[in-house]
Amino acid sequence: MTPIKMTRTPTKIARIAALALLLGASVSTAALAQNLTIGVRAGPDSMDPHFTATGTHAEALKHVFDTLTWSGDKLQIEPRLATSWKAIAPDTWEFKLRSGVKFHDGSDFTAEDVKFSIERIPVVAGPNPTTIYVRRVKEVKIIDPLTVHIVTDGPAPNLPNDFIRLFIVSAKAAAGLTKDNANEAFNSGKAAIGTGPYKFVSWTPKDQLVLDRFDGYWGPKEPWAKVVRKELPNDAARVAQLKAGQVDIIVRAPSSDVATLKRDPKLTVATIDTVYVFNMEIDMRDKSPQVSAKDGSPLPKNPLQDPKVREAIDLAIDRPALVEIAMEGLGAPVNQLVTASIAGFNKSLPPLKVDIAKAKKLLEEAGYPNGFKTTFSFTNDRLPGDRQVGTSVAQMLARIGLDVTANAQTAAVFFPARTRAEYSLAMSGWGTLTGEANYTLSSVVHSNEPAKKLGAFNVLGYKNPALDKLIEDAAVELDETKRNDFLSQANAIVAKDRPRLPIVAVGSAWAMQKDKVTIAPRVDEDTLAMDIKPAKK
């Protein structure tokens, strides 16, 4: 039999090549459609989730590591690696763990990993200590592979709230690591083994974090095969890359660009009022490092210790103007350290009003008719409007006769210096991420008492025994109404003493490619790939 000879004419070859190109393009387009690139303002400080409590750090690592409990989009507590929990004694909580959960290396998640994660936090915590999330824990008892009993140092009604930031790492992958070598092991990926919806691929500090979907995840399958979190601290650069199509969505779209971005037919903008509050902390120590007479000579005492001086500073701040001008409408004036949706918010406190004449009179009564010299430090790359608000506040203080140097710092510089108590006046954002005021009050205005694991972020010497008692009573009160009343009273004391001045609540905006993605914004401002979905065509 004569074999059949197949011939390919130039026309047929061209058609085959065109078909191959078309199929290749289709595959490439499909693959790209499953890739998500997020332009973020800041990323993690390490791949170790227990290293720091900074919000942008936790936000990034929620993709890789799960927590025992989860904070919903309105800060409601939801099951995560723990499916249920209950107090079985005044000082003991029982957590039932989710079965069938796998780590990214295929190993099983068990109670051993919970115990290991809780116990390693005090050992490896860095500059913004994550110990605040486990400070009430006295002992962890493993009952069976899927049950743990958490023994606390007395009644701890808010323990499930604290555990929204209790990241669970693999006891096997992180075994034996110390504070000196933990970051290296996690940053290389060796120990970065979680149970989250995405697996660690690579991280370049101050550049990008690359993640792959974990198809063995216990929860719903994510639509994104690959996620890149690209650090773009410069606002203009983030906007430019969004417009050029180099990123699919950007966080913290600058308020000055929101109106323009909304008019772009290719883009969509989503906004929300967050639980983050810019607040000014005031140095109460006998000697303050950045306070002097206007000629630079030392003063006989720290003027910031005087309640009249603190009130004068408070009265100099025009909060509505800050929202309207510095934040361009993306925010809200506040009168306490927590926002209105937080349990323990004091509804009776009046709005804070500017009064320059009264402020000058108070300074004169305090013995500083000509004011004094100081430095006001704040972040310029962490939350929307931080640089603009900080600069504006410094100018407002000048109106009452203070000689103020505005010291804008990157978060990487600001927070370590702040922890070392190098500032006299400082502003940063604090979010009440657990949904109840004890989280904030116990951290930033309770006396700094390491033995009680309270006041970890109060580094400038403020002490008020009456306030401390209310915070401590609230921490152990099982009756919710009584607990919230204690917290409300505590907020009233803070408003009177002014160790910290609430300034404005932060609003936030996300801008995105209209035909690519949609987002469900969260009040804690976390930008999670899990909340970003493909746009409906």
Side-chain angles (χ1 to χ4, degrees), residues 67-381:
T67 51
L68 274 195
T69 59
W70 188 254
S71 181
D73 59 350
K74 299 294 188 296
L75 304 188
Q76 68 274 21
I77 303 300
E78 299 174 351
R80 201 66 173 186
L81 289 180
T83 56
S84 65
W85 48 89
K86 62 181 179 180
I88 59 174
D91 65 347
T92 305
W93 282 86
E94 178 179 87
F95 286 81
K96 290 291 187 179
L97 307 180
R98 192 175 298 278
S99 63
V101 175
K102 297 286 187 182
F103 280 99
H104 298 156
D105 62 0
S107 59
D108 293 324
F109 157 70
T110 71
E112 291 282 355
D113 302 296
V114 175
K115 179 178 173 67
F116 175 82
S117 296
I118 291 174
E119 292 177 349
R120 83 179 291 264
I121 287 176
V123 177
V124 300
N128 275 345
T130 49
T131 49
I132 60 173
Y133 304 115
V134 295
R135 63 189 170 195
R136 301 301 310 279
V137 177
K138 185 177 179 181
E139 183 183 2
V140 182
K141 296 180 179 179
I142 296 176
I143 306 304
D144 61 49
L146 294 177
T147 307
V148 293
H149 286 177
I150 309 294
V151 181
T152 56
D153 58 353
N158 292 319
L159 194 70
N161 300 69
D162 290 341
F163 281 1
I164 64 166
R165 285 286 189 89
L166 173 56
F167 289 103
I168 303 303
V169 302
S170 164
K172 175 184 174 184
L177 296 178
T178 67
K179 193 168 187 174
D180 293 330
N181 61 17
N183 281 329
E184 181 181 354
F186 275 87
N187 296 348
S188 69
K190 180 181 178 181
I193 308 297
T195 61
Y198 292 94
K199 299 183 296 183
F200 172 82
V201 175
S202 65
W203 176 54
T204 305
K206 306 302 177 187
D207 185 6
Q208 64 181 23
L209 171 63
V210 181
L211 307 166
D212 278 348
R213 180 173 59 209
F214 176 43
D215 290 328
Y217 180 55
W218 59 267
K221 184 176 180 179
E222 291 296 312
W224 312 112
K226 182 180 291 292
V227 172
V228 178
R229 291 175 57 87
K230 192 173 182 181
E231 288 193 46
L232 299 166
N234 181 276
D235 289 345
R238 276 200 317 287
V239 170
Q241 292 209 14
L242 176 71
K243 289 182 174 180
Q246 295 172 305
V247 296
D248 301 312
I249 182 171
I250 61 171
V251 310
R252 298 168 178 170
S255 55
S256 57
D257 289 334
V258 166
T260 302
L261 293 170
K262 283 182 175 179
R263 291 194 295 268
D264 191 320
K266 296 181 180 179
L267 304 176
T268 302
V269 177
T271 62
I272 197 170
D273 289 333
T274 77
V275 294
Y276 280 91
V277 172
F278 285 135
N279 69 92
M280 177 194 296
E281 54 188 319
I282 301 176
D283 193 358
M284 301 287 203
R285 295 169 293 176
D286 291 338
K287 292 185 178 181
S288 190
Q290 296 177 320
V291 174
S292 69
K294 284 192 171 180
D295 62 4
S297 62
L299 292 169
K301 60 181 181 180
N302 175 12
L304 300 174
Q305 289 182 326
D306 192 318
K308 291 183 177 181
V309 172
R310 298 197 298 276
E311 184 179 358
I313 291 173
D314 200 3
L315 290 170
I317 300 173
D318 189 338
R319 291 162 174 84
L322 288 172
V323 171
E324 181 182 354
I325 300 170
M327 305 182 80
E328 301 197 42
L330 202 61
V334 289
N335 64 350
Q336 50 201 291
L337 298 178
V338 298
T339 53
S341 63
I342 301 300
F345 177 84
N346 190 316
K347 297 178 182 178
S348 68
L349 293 176
L352 296 172
K353 297 180 179 180
V354 64
D355 191 332
I356 300 300
K358 185 178 179 181
K360 289 181 176 180
K361 187 173 185 298
L362 285 168
L363 282 178
E364 183 176 356
E365 291 174 0
Y368 305 97
N370 299 316
F372 51 87
K373 186 176 183 179
T374 189
T375 298
F376 179 46
S377 302
F378 46 91
T379 60
N380 63 7
D381 65 347

